[in-house]
Amino acid sequence: MRTRTHRLALVCGTAVLATAGLVTGAPAASAAAAETHCNIIDDSARPTVSPGDTGDAVRQVQCLINQYSKYSNWVEVDGDYGPQTLEGVHWVQTCNATTGGADGIVGPSTWSALYTPKTACALSS
């Protein structure tokens, strides 16, 4: 009887811990997986993004800087185009010699550099 009780307690405890891990771990794992591939907005949706903007397009820019460029500082993927994002965008624009220079505005040339950076500016696969 004592072995059965201990075994039952062990099974129940394991189930509780596993469930707690799924409840707290699943969203984080999903978010990490989405960020790894930068699937925040459709790859063909490339709106103009400027300092002060917020939202999913900004998150996409932030994610792309982190995942594909050699920019040395991590940019928080928070959807807020503030100074940290501006610094990352300036780096991408300068390294890739985008049209318009390092103006901080993410237009067609910068989007292109974010998705397919020059070899010298890209993380190795």
Side-chain angles (χ1 to χ4, degrees), residues 77-88:
V77 181
D78 61 4
D80 181 15
Y81 192 143
Q84 184 185 45
T85 303
L86 179 61
E87 187 177 306

Side-chain angles (χ1 to χ4, degrees), residues 35-52:
E35 284 185 18
T36 300
H37 302 293
C38 299
N39 293 328
I40 301 164
I41 63 171
D42 187 87
D43 290 344
S44 64
R46 298 181 182 189
T48 300
V49 178
S50 302

Side-chain angles (χ1 to χ4, degrees), residues 1 4 8-9 11 13 42 46 54 63 88 90 99 110-111:
M1 185 84 158
R4 184 179 292 171
L8 180 60
V11 169
D42 187 87
R46 298 181 182 189
T54 59
C63 180
H90 279 163
T99 304
T110 303
W111 278 113

